[in-house]
Amino acid sequence: MKEEKMTPRLASTARALWLIYLSLTAACAFAYWLFGMEPFDAIAHSLSTVSTGGFSTHDDSLSWFHSSQIEGVAILFMLLASLNFGVHYYAIYRRKPLHYWEDIEARSFLILVLVIVVVVGLMLRLEGSYHTLPPSLRDASFEVVSVITSTGFATVDFSHWPDFLPVLLIFVSFIGGCGGSTAGGMKVLRVVLLFKQGMREIRKLIHPNAILPVYLGRHVVDQRIMNAVWGFFAAYTLVFVVLMLLMIHAGLDQVSAFSAVATCMNNLGPGLGKVASNFQEVSSLGKGIAIIAMLLGRLEIFTILILLTPAFWKD
């Protein structure tokens, strides 16, 4: 598990994290400029990439540039921005580059991205959308990284991809990036702990008297942490269902309502159906629901829900 503190003083930690963030942004802007962007485009897109915001100076997003090098830069810095900035600190300040692989959340995130890219790339090739494998892997790499990091850049419209691929990418957005990053979603570490807890329960059914703690690396996860993760997952699911029902009431079909709430709560951007490109066709009520969903997703639900609890306002 990650160390409790990066530096003894909070101010020093904040300064180190800001320097890392600014350095990533500057390096991203330089790389964009090096591979053909105008200085304004390079700066604007670097700010949007490292913040995993996804805004572009062009309606066609990064597909406007028709450059595999620019797409490669975007993939690299979207991934870096979606790793825990504490991991960046230990890798850079403590000169421990292997910490990127030693950290279980970062390792799980990178492996997950690789697996999904391969699956999507192969499906695109087998379904006949691409005649050769390299172009399918190129588009799969960019779209998968853009979606899982909640950035939302686009080079193709994945909502028109065949088979289950559009829905798979929406589900991928629920995972998001690592904790302590700029990415949205539920965060990789929570998903890892949920998976480990699920596997423990299966083993408990086989060996009901066994003591089977959940491990994260070499450390046993405290049961209070597991309870907090399950509590977050339950709250996330409940809020999602309620917002989706409200979106349907606001006039969207089931697919559009599902993806609209998913893309808002996960701070992604693109969706499916009527919200594949934008929310222009969504009613005023639907847009209001989307605003609430975005706030709940960005502040990770509990921050908003606690404000609605009467006990919070008592002296």
Side-chain angles (χ1 to χ4, degrees):
M1 296 179 70
K2 300 176 186 68
E3 292 83 345
E4 291 295 324
K5 289 185 178 181
M6 290 182 288
T7 66
R9 298 172 62 86
L10 181 60
S12 300
T13 299
R15 184 162 49 250
L17 293 178
W18 267 109
L19 284 173
I20 292 171
Y21 187 92
L22 291 174
S23 298
L24 286 175
T25 304
C28 183
F30 177 76
Y32 277 142
W33 172 77
L34 188 65
F35 288 111
M37 279 192 184
E38 295 295 326
F40 175 77
D41 281 342
I43 294 171
H45 283 90
S46 68
L47 293 171
S48 189
T49 303
V50 178
S51 67
T52 62
F55 293 102
S56 176
T57 54
H58 302 280
D59 290 340
D60 293 332
S61 191
L62 291 188
S63 65
W64 189 88
F65 297 97
H66 301 289
S67 170
S68 59
Q69 292 92 344
I70 286 176
E71 292 171 23
V73 171
I75 289 172
L76 173 62
F77 283 93
M78 284 189 289
L79 288 173
L80 288 174
S82 298
L83 295 175
N84 191 311
F85 275 62
V87 175
H88 289 314
Y89 174 86
Y90 285 104
I92 298 171
Y93 282 82
R94 302 288 177 84
R95 298 178 182 178
K96 296 179 179 179
L98 291 179
H99 197 66
Y100 286 114
W101 188 250
E102 294 169 353
D103 182 84
I104 188 168
E105 185 180 24
R107 183 169 69 248
S108 300
F109 174 67
L110 295 174
I111 291 174
L112 177 65
V113 169
L114 178 61
V115 170
I116 297 174
V117 165
V118 171
V119 170
V120 173
L122 289 176
M123 282 294 297
L124 288 174
R125 174 65 185 88
L126 294 174
E127 289 291 330
S129 300
Y130 294 80
H131 297 298
T132 58
L133 190 58
S136 69
L137 287 175
R138 171 183 169 179
D139 285 346
S141 299
F142 188 89
E143 292 301 319
V144 168
V145 172
S146 179
V147 168
I148 198 171
T149 62
S150 74
T151 307
F153 280 141
T155 54
V156 295
D157 185 357
F158 71 81
S159 67
H160 293 132
W161 279 356
D163 214 297
F164 57 78
L165 294 183
V167 178
L168 173 62
L169 289 188
I170 293 297
F171 279 133
V172 163
S173 72
F174 284 93
I175 299 173
C178 300
S181 72
T182 61
M186 290 193 296
K187 302 299 186 294
V188 175
L189 191 58
R190 289 194 181 104
V191 175
V192 169
L193 289 176
L194 288 172
F195 174 78
K196 287 179 174 288
Q197 172 74 357
M199 296 304 297
R200 181 177 74 169
E201 294 305 314
I202 293 174
R203 293 196 299 270
K204 287 283 286 184
L205 292 174
I206 302 173
H207 306 286
N209 297 321
I211 299 175
L212 301 170
V214 174
Y215 283 91
L216 196 61
R218 298 180 180 179
H219 300 267
V220 176
V221 180
D222 191 286
Q223 188 57 44
R224 291 175 298 178
I225 295 177
M226 292 305 308
N227 292 340
V229 170
W230 276 109
F232 175 84
F233 181 72
Y236 188 100
T237 304
L238 178 61
V239 168
F240 183 91
V241 170
V242 171
L243 292 177
M244 179 180 169
L245 293 175
L246 290 174
M247 276 292 192
I248 294 175
H249 174 70
L252 292 181
D253 60 88
Q254 290 91 331
V255 172
S256 298
F258 173 83
S259 65
V261 177
T263 194
C264 289
M265 287 190 66
N266 298 324
N267 306 118
L268 173 59
L272 303 176
K274 293 182 179 179
V275 296
S277 300
N278 53 57
F279 277 61
Q280 186 174 351
E281 295 186 35
V282 179
S283 66
S284 297
L285 175 60
K287 290 185 176 73
I289 297 168
I291 291 172
I292 295 172
M294 286 186 283
L295 289 173
L296 285 167
R298 186 71 275 178
L299 297 177
E300 300 204 338
I301 298 177
F302 283 132
T303 306
I304 297 294
L305 293 183
I306 198 171
L307 294 175
L308 304 177
T309 305
F312 177 78
W313 300 101
K314 292 182 180 180
D315 294 331

